[in-house]
Structure formats: structure tokens, C-alpha cells
Amino acid sequence: MATQSRSIRRGLPRVEGGDPWPAAGEAPARIATAGVATPTASVSGEGSVTSGPAAAAPSVLAAARETAPGAASSGPAPAVYAGAAVARQLRRGLPRVPGGEPWPPAGEVSVSVPALSEAPAAGAMPAPAADAAEKAVPAATSPAAAPATAPATLTVGTTPLRRGLPRVPGGEPWPPAGLAPVVAASPAVQAEPARLAHASAPASSGQAHAPSAVETVAEAAAPSVTESAPAVPTATAPVAPAAVVETSAAEKPAAAEKPASPKAEARLYGSRTLGQWIKRVMLLAVGAVAAAGILVLAARGVTTLPGAPEFLERYPGAYHLPPTAEPGFPWWAQWTHFLNIFLMVLIIRSGYQVRTQQKPPAFWTPKRGGKKISINLWLHQSLDLLWLVNGLIFAVLLFASGRWMRIVPTSWEAFPNALSALLQYMTLDWPVENGWVNYNSLQQLMYFLVVFIAAPLAAVTGVRLSEFWPKNAKTLNRIYPVEAARALHFPTMLFFVLFILIHVFLVFSTGALRNLNHMFGGTDVVNWVGFWLFAAAIAVTVAGWYAARPLVLAPIAKLFGQVSSR
């Protein structure tokens, strides 16, 4: 035999109900680039192997094409020479456009003979060069009817073949080293470039570009096969891979659209974006309105129960104060009230930052040495000290002036009157009151709770959590553990927030101008003086909110210790 070969691996049939493709036969032993002149082997009548140049043999190729699969051969068949061109009918598929003709148009293509081999023995299935050419995708032609005698030409290119993994374990990289052949467009394609460009263009920007026949010659003409040494058998290798195809500008796919730049990440405010906060606030507002509506309906239902009208008549919501109680609000009450607003807002803000901030912007260390703390915690503790001083001044003046009975219950009637006032608030039928002279019992109990219970509780738990608490006092720490202080401190802050919201709402809903004049204007008349003083107090508080940042705090903190960035 002239070559050592192996059986071709067969796959699915080309047509429904047909035989597996390719036809049964022997695979060539070696591969050479198409069109490259290499020594080839020929077989003499006696079966000896001789070498000679590759040349085209039309009669031999015709005999190879006409050999029917399965036909018996009584003697050695002529060799098929590498590099010979064989005309092959184009295999047509689906149309390129809806309702169009099958693509590509009818015609022929010239392909190189991929192998040099002898005809198989009697009873064996041949592997003619024409069958190997079936793997080649036909070159593109015009959609119009093309003449059958207009094949594409196959020439040697300058691009080296890209080699990959071996086809068999331990083998050489596939395909063998060589130059890729180039298939030029047929005259039919060159005659109608405009028609071809129109047919190959996608219908819309979102439709994938369908490659033309020339573009998809990924498995086009296989290179020729030769035998380098007649006397030494070589390993069997599969057919060479696709050739590189030169395509016209009209046939190249449209340039891929520039990918859209990724959207910038939304800015976080705390743990959520602005949109998430708005959505959350809206949900809470809708829930609060729904809950308030349910409470109002329930309270009105309670007032219709037997005995409820008599209870409201007996306890109108307030009781008479002792005769020594003085009306009005002195100047020290107005100033401590304003400072309480200013300090409480900043204390709540800084406390929230201490609780949620993972990486503080700066740190503070005492001058005499000690534990380094965040600048937010330093601000929080400093404001706490000022708030305690302000509260202590208020409490001393409150008892010294005898006005303590305005916020401290002096009769047991305060409790049923507070329940009556609560029921009237819930029915939206506000209780009759005159805050200049006397609070209703619900207000009195709430002010007492804030001044004498909530404020001291916040102070005691805050001191336990601060650096002022002695760390080595084991007995004291066992009696008052830090876990208990932490469990009470944050809920106390939430109570203050809830009280402030309800307090401000009632101030504006029960006569805003008169109520603001009581605490900010020091008078019981109805005018805009108290309102503008209240607006000024809010402006100062807002300015303090924005000033409470490291750029402003660092110079102040340096007066009492050292400030560092880490």
C-alpha cells in the first residue's frame, strides 16, 4: 500500500433517511497545505511505491468521482494526486431573507483534492476526494442564478494555520503546520456586490448578522495530502481544518455596537439609597395614616359604650392646680427649652452615627492619656454633658420658683383625667385646655415622665457606656453590667424621638401661634412673634447639624485632647 490509513469517523446523514456522512473509507495518512508542491507517491502495477511531483490528473479524478460506494475493485486503483481541483455542486440551505431563494444559489465550487490514496480493495467503501470536499462550505455567489461553470479559485495564502489540541492522545497539534489556502470570490459574486450587501445586511439593529457563504468557509477546501517517505509508514491524521477566506467589505458583518457604559452606582445615605428611603418613608406614612384611622374609629366606638359619656363629663381631662401655682413661662424656661431642642437634636444625630458608622472620620485621645475614641463619640459625650448641665439648671429653677407643680402631679385625679384626655385626642375632639395656666393631665404626666424618668435614665445608661465609668470596679460592674445599660440606652433614645414628633404635631394642631408665643415669646397673645423666634431657633439647630463634621469639630476637639485620622 502507498499509505497507512485509518477508517474515517462517520457522523449524522446529510439528508433525512440517508447514509451516515462521510461515506465509509480510509482517512489519509498525512496532510499538506493545499496548492503546495510536495513529493507525492504513486503506485506501480506491481504495487511498488515511487515518488514524483504532484500533478493534476483529470481522468483519474473523474474515475474517483464516478466510483460508486460499495463497488468492488479487482485491482489497484490509480492514485489521486494532491493539489488537483475538483468541481463540486454547492449544497444549498435555508434562504437568507423570508420568502427568498435557498442559499447559496445553485452552482459549483472548485476544491483541492485533500488526499493521496489508492482505491480500496474489493468490497471496501472508497473515500474519494469529491466526498471529502463535501465538508467545505461553498463560496458566496450572487442570489441570482449563477452559471454552473463559475467556480471559485483556491490559492495559497500567507496566513499560517492556527494549531490547536491533537486529535489523538499523544499526537501532534492539529492541524499540521502550514499556510492556510484562500478562496477568492466567484465572478457571480463580483458581478453583483450591491445585491450581496443588501442580502447580507441584518433586518434591524437587534437582529444577529447572518454570515455569507464566503464568510463561513470555516470548513472549506482541505489541504492536499502527501507522503514524505515512501518506505516509512506514517501516523494517520484527520482532514485539515478550514481555510482562511478573503471577503469583500460588503460581506463583512457590521461592526459590533459599542457596549453601553455601566450605570453609576446609586449614592447611599446610611444603608439605603435616596429612592429606597423615599419608598420606605412613604410606606411608613401610609401605614401610620391607616393605623390612625383605625384608632380614631375604635375610640369613637368606645365613647358610645354605656358609662363612657358620664366618665368624660366627670373627668374633663384636667384638674385644678393649687392656688400658689403661677401661670406663664419665665425667661429661664424659654432659654432652657431652646437649648434642650438644640442639644437633643445633635445628641440623637451623633448617637446614631456612633451606632452605625463602621469607619469614623477621625479619632480623639485625652491630653492626659486614655483610650482613643471616635470623634463622633467625643461629640456625643460632650453634648451629653452640656445637656445634663442644662437640665440641672432647669430642675433647680423649677423647684426654686415653685413652678414644679405645673409638671408634677399633685392629685390622684391626674390619672383618670389623663385617660379622658387621651380618649378625646383619639376621637380628634381635642380637650379644652389653656397651657399658659394649666396643662391637661396627659401633658402633665408626659412632661413628668420626660424630665424626671427618661432624662435620668438616658444619663445613667450613657455614663455606664462611656469612658468615664471605672472599668476595674468589679463589684459595681457586676451589679450594673454594661449589657443592661446598652439594652436600655437605645430604646430611651427612640422614646425621645417619638415624644418630640408627637409634641411638635400637637403644638401646631392645637393653635400654633398661641402655643409658640407661650414658649418662645413669653406671652399669651396671638401674634407672629413666637413663630419667628421658633423659626430662628430651627435655623440655628440646622446650622449646628451641618457644622457637626470633622472639619469644624477637629479644632474644637484639639483644645481638650489630640485628634488623629487613625
Side-chain angles (χ1 to χ4, degrees), residues 69-110:
S73 177
S74 58
V80 179
Y81 291 90
V86 178
R88 193 66 178 167
Q89 290 290 335
L90 294 175
R91 185 177 63 181
R92 307 176 68 190
L94 297 175
R96 297 292 296 276
V97 294
E101 295 289 333
W103 181 261
E108 292 186 353
V109 63
S110 289

Side-chain angles (χ1 to χ4, degrees), residues 2-4 29-30 49 227-235:
T3 60
Q4 278 192 346
R30 291 183 62 84
V49 179
E227 185 174 307
S228 57
V232 180
T234 57

